[in-house]
Amino acid sequence: MKFAVIADYFEKLEATTKRLEMFDILSELFKKAKPSEIDKLVYICQERIKPPYEGIEIGMAEKMLEKAIARATGTDLKKVSSLYKKKGDLGLVAEALASKQSFKLVKPKELTLNDVYEGFLKTALTSGAGAVERKISIISGLLSRANPKEAKYISRFVIGRLRLGIGDPTIMDSLSKAKVGDRSLREKIERAYNLCSDLGLVAKTLFEKGEKALEKFKVTPGKPIRMALAERLPSSKDIVKKIGKCAVEAKYDGFRLQCHKIGKKVFLFSRNLENMTHMFPEIVDAVKRLRHKEIIFEGEALTYNEATGELYPFQVTITRKRKYEIEKVAEELPLRMFVFDLLYVDGKDYTQEPYIKRRKKLESIFKKEDILQPSEMIITDNPEEIERFFEKEVSAGLEGVMAKRLDAPYSAGARNYNWIKLKRSYKGELADTIDVVIVGYLKGRGMRAKFGIGAVLVAVYDDKEDVFKTIAKVGSGFSEEQWVELRKMLDKIAVKHKPARVDSLIKPDVWVEPKYVITVNADEITRSPLHTAGRTEKHSGFALRFPRAVSFIRFDKKPEDANTVKEIEKMFKMQKKK
Ligand code: ATP
């Protein structure tokens, strides 16, 4: 497949503001790919080179790309930099300079998808002494063969600014349409994706081996399983009414990890399916010591106070993120992991087994007082007993409890009532915080004018339509430094028109690509004609009353991990009941 064809389609995708059009354009593009190419095309559309858990990044800074453009187009570096200042987009700079080159006498060989993908991969895998120079030379090699449009998209890709704004659901729908003409394969595609977290591999399997092969997809140690998520209910009574006799576990406020062991190798994945192995060396050692050759399990890792046994909240555990200090931090802040699910042991897939069977096996492997220990758990159908357990956990500083249906399988990649969270709430606040995606910002007035940002326009996710719908403007909760930093980060992902997957009645001063998730608290959920979340012909949308940020950017969440419109609707109803 010629890369020029892809560049043409990318231009169409960039121009559309409608998600349905996006779906049509993308499925047409996928139809043009050979089975041996589709995985690469899918990765490029996801704006990556390999699935996220492989952690393969291209590692090109803007300055490096400027050099590659200068070299490929025979332009002075200073001129490239000054053009960049003027245009604000290195893609446009490359496009303009490549146009000037099109009078070349000897036409270079046209780029194919394989050429470009291999170039990206080689760049990403280049490391060690002289890596910067070699990376520049690979990319300038590609650019010197590119037509102007290709040069634009290659340049944007290598610095992570492709910004096509295509979500995984749109890719899955489009793959289905490309293969069978409609969305009917979506469920099968999604199931396979949930089990391996590698959409390129799923697409390739579908295009090369067909639908039957998708149905046979299995859990594989080393490939993260997309995580099961919890619903919420307002009280223990509602929980018992909904799922009857159930397991109730302590809800730990730590770092969720999915641990994989294959022989001597251990991998730890975050909720976001990123590889976090380097962050938790003591957990890696403990997993290595397990007697099972192959195992996949999940739990919550937490730091604690050795003297008092008190568990620290997430904010303390996360200080480990700073790589270079891990050994020192590990000494000061010892770690424990509360294991709450078992997914695979030595060739046997447990994901389809009922909770109670998984738990029994889990308790035969993990023992109390070890670094890896089973989560605290009771089984009951008595709301008062749940209440007492909840009070005990909350007074010990925990977040609340998680109720689990005894006969439920592990629902990879899904949020449903197989798990139900019950969290402590504070006066004058919603029973739970809400995760929202920033889709734009408003320039500040008064005090804030000096930062050039006064509030962010935020949205929740409509997973049915794969669209982000606005719910609030958030103007408080960040420190001055955070506002300054936020503005910088948002300017890097600013886009000219409303992104195709955003639905909004409000027009912010600056639109941004939906990328960053923040957690907010609010007094209540209300109805408002200003917002699109949950808006129907009969009802106006949902809005948050007095929203305030309680976290800076949640790097562990993708935009699609924000709360959904459906969840907001449920929370709205729950609040009315109270
Ligand atoms: P979510 O992960 O559901 O999108 P969130 O990140 O805002 O939401 P919460 O809503 O507070 O987190 O609760 C879900 C999280 O609770 C899980 O993702 C997991 O990290 C954590 N957790 C803590 N204890 C348990 C437990 N015993 N069983 C399952 N999950 C638990």
Side-chain angles (χ1 to χ4, degrees):
M1 180 176 203
K2 298 260 184 282
F3 192 70
V5 176
I6 299 173
D8 286 341
Y9 275 87
F10 281 1
E11 196 155 69
K12 287 189 210 167
L13 283 169
E14 206 188 329
T16 181
T17 54
K18 296 194 188 78
R19 148 63 201 166
L20 278 181
E21 262 176 43
M22 201 169 205
F23 162 59
D24 286 335
I25 301 168
L26 202 57
S27 60
E28 257 180 60
L29 172 62
F30 288 161
K31 247 196 232 162
K32 296 197 170 359
K34 285 195 216 114
S36 61
E37 296 170 323
I38 188 75
D39 52 341
K40 296 164 196 148
L41 184 56
V42 166
Y43 294 137
I44 291 182
C45 289
Q46 287 184 307
E47 308 196 14
R48 57 169 61 108
I49 304 172
K50 289 277 179 184
Y53 58 86
E54 290 196 21
I56 293 183
E57 304 281 339
I58 202 155
M60 285 281 286
E62 285 178 3
K63 281 278 166 245
M64 291 161 72
L65 176 60
E66 283 182 19
K67 280 191 189 152
I69 295 172
R71 203 175 295 172
T73 56
T75 317
D76 188 51
L77 184 59
K78 277 197 195 120
K79 181 160 179 219
V80 176
S81 304
S82 83
L83 264 178
Y84 178 33
K85 273 204 192 97
K86 224 188 275 164
K87 292 184 185 281
D89 174 353
L90 277 172
L92 295 179
V93 174
E95 184 180 34
L97 292 172
S99 313
K100 293 207 174 123
Q101 288 283 300
S102 44
F103 56 82
K104 271 182 193 161
L105 286 179
V106 187
K107 283 268 172 266
K109 209 168 142 249
E110 267 185 286
L111 285 169
T112 62
L113 166 60
N114 273 332
D115 294 334
V116 175
Y117 181 82
E118 293 306 322
F120 290 164
L121 186 61
K122 223 164 122 194
T123 311
L125 297 179
T126 300
S127 62
V132 169
E133 177 49 38
R134 271 179 289 147
K135 282 176 192 257
I136 295 173
S137 111
I138 300 167
I139 298 303
S140 85
L142 288 180
L143 290 173
S144 64
R145 287 171 59 193
N147 71 27
K149 219 182 278 177
E150 291 174 317
K152 173 167 81 177
Y153 292 109
I154 290 172
S155 297
R156 285 186 182 165
F157 185 93
V158 300
I159 49 166
R161 306 263 173 81
L162 198 54
R163 293 187 195 160
L164 297 172
I166 316 168
D168 288 349
T170 307
I171 298 181
M172 290 192 270
D173 279 345
S174 308
L175 284 169
S176 171
K177 186 164 177 188
K179 187 74 188 165
V180 294
D182 57 33
R183 291 174 208 231
S184 58
L185 285 184
R186 164 71 189 266
E187 212 174 292
K188 286 181 186 161
I189 294 174
E190 193 158 355
R191 189 196 81 91
Y193 186 32
N194 285 338
L195 294 182
C196 70
S197 309
D198 182 346
L199 202 44
L201 175 68
V202 173
K204 195 172 160 122
T205 308
L206 173 65
F207 277 47
E208 270 181 356
K209 303 191 186 135
E211 208 178 315
K212 283 270 170 304
L214 272 195
E215 288 165 16
K216 286 198 201 117
F217 237 87
K218 281 206 180 77
V219 167
T220 326
K223 289 192 178 289
I225 300 163
R226 294 178 82 212
M227 297 196 187
L229 301 169
E231 280 285 353
R232 43 169 86 67
L233 281 175
S235 72
S236 52
K237 269 202 199 106
D238 291 286
I239 292 177
V240 173
K241 212 162 104 198
K242 185 91 192 171
I243 61 171
K245 189 170 179 180
C246 56
V248 184
E249 297 183 20
K251 185 175 186 310
Y252 305 92
D253 181 18
F255 198 96
R256 183 171 182 175
L257 288 176
Q258 194 177 83
C259 310
H260 290 234
K261 179 184 181 195
I262 326 169
K264 291 199 171 89
K265 278 191 257 163
V266 171
F267 302 101
L268 308 181
F269 300 111
S270 68
R271 183 188 180 290
N272 222 355
L273 309 180
E274 275 176 40
N275 190 330
M276 291 288 160
T277 315
H278 66 273
M279 235 171 100
F280 302 99
E282 46 293 55
I283 293 189
V284 173
D285 287 343
V287 178
K288 277 189 184 158
R289 286 198 297 272
L290 292 173
R291 64 189 166 82
H292 298 280
K293 272 209 180 88
E294 290 192 336
I295 187 165
I296 307 176
F297 60 93
E298 264 183 38
E300 200 80 3
L302 270 85
T303 47
Y304 66 99
N305 182 321
E306 236 167 342
T308 63
E310 177 202 3
L311 296 170
Y312 289 127
F314 177 74
Q315 284 82 348
V316 179
T317 305
I318 199 71
T319 51
R320 291 189 162 228
K321 250 202 137 158
R322 278 169 272 143
K323 269 191 207 160
Y324 51 96
E325 283 178 352
I326 283 180
E327 272 177 26
K328 199 170 135 242
V329 179
E331 238 172 61
E332 283 167 18
L333 292 172
L335 200 70
R336 226 175 244 177
M337 179 163 178
F338 295 91
V339 182
F340 57 70
D341 221 317
L342 181 75
L343 311 181
Y344 182 95
V345 186
D346 289 336
K348 182 168 167 50
D349 179 352
Y350 275 83
T351 56
Q352 294 311 306
E353 298 290 346
Y355 170 87
I356 196 73
K357 207 166 157 192
R358 300 200 305 279
R359 177 76 194 190
K360 209 164 150 214
K361 183 77 183 168
L362 185 159
E363 286 179 2
S364 78
I365 299 174
F366 303 98
K367 298 287 172 221
K368 268 194 174 161
E369 309 303 326
D370 284 345
I371 284 201
L372 307 174
Q373 53 184 279
S375 57
E376 229 186 302
M377 188 269 274
I378 58 166
I379 293 182
T380 179
D381 58 0
N382 180 351
E384 280 160 28
E385 202 175 335
I386 299 182
E387 211 60 43
R388 280 196 296 276
F389 185 65
F390 176 85
E391 296 297 340
K392 182 184 124 212
E393 296 304 334
V394 168
S395 58
L398 272 73
E399 270 196 305
V401 297
M402 276 279 194
K404 301 187 176 177
R405 195 191 282 265
L406 295 174
D407 59 1
Y410 181 86
S411 331
R415 187 186 296 281
N416 56 37
Y417 288 100
N418 290 341
W419 287 8
I420 306 171
K421 55 191 170 193
L422 186 63
K423 285 198 195 174
R424 68 179 165 197
S425 63
Y426 307 90
K427 258 202 177 135
E429 287 184 357
L430 285 174
D432 200 354
T433 53
I434 297 179
D435 293 330
V436 290
V437 189
I438 301 178
V439 298
Y441 71 81
L442 297 113
K443 298 198 168 148
R445 264 183 256 142
M447 274 287 287
R448 291 277 173 70
K450 66 173 189 253
F451 307 134
I453 182 170
V456 284
L457 178 64
V458 299
V460 286
Y461 183 49
D462 188 324
D463 54 343
K464 225 165 115 207
E465 293 175 31
D466 189 22
V467 160
F468 298 95
K469 299 187 167 175
T470 72
I471 189 158
K473 286 188 237 169
V474 180
S476 63
F478 294 125
S479 66
E480 293 205 349
E481 293 79 29
Q482 285 178 327
W483 278 115
V484 173
E485 164 114 29
L486 191 61
R487 160 103 200 269
K488 269 196 222 145
M489 293 173 72
L490 294 180
D491 281 343
K492 285 207 176 126
I493 55 163
V495 283
K496 288 225 172 67
H497 59 67
K498 185 186 73 57
R501 286 201 303 154
V502 172
D503 183 5
S504 173
L505 300 169
I506 297 171
K507 191 173 174 301
D509 293 313
V510 179
W511 288 110
V512 300
E513 160 202 347
K515 174 167 181 174
Y516 295 127
V517 173
I518 55 171
T519 301
V520 298
N521 211 332
D523 284 3
E524 63 175 327
I525 299 170
T526 56
R527 289 273 185 190
S528 152
L530 290 176
H531 291 289
T532 50
R535 186 167 181 256
T536 60
E537 272 176 17
K538 267 211 221 129
H539 292 292
S540 42
F542 294 114
L544 302 180
R545 200 165 101 94
F546 298 134
R548 54 221 175 243
V550 294
S551 80
F552 196 53
I553 311 290
R554 291 279 309 257
F555 291 105
D556 61 329
K557 292 211 167 181
K558 292 195 300 295
E560 291 82 8
D561 295 328
N563 279 118
T564 59
V565 174
K566 253 187 273 156
E567 290 174 82
I568 299 294
E569 190 173 352
K570 276 187 205 141
M571 289 171 87
F572 181 69
K573 284 186 186 147
M574 258 160 60
Q575 152 192 298
K576 265 190 168 166
K577 258 202 208 163
K578 276 191 169 176

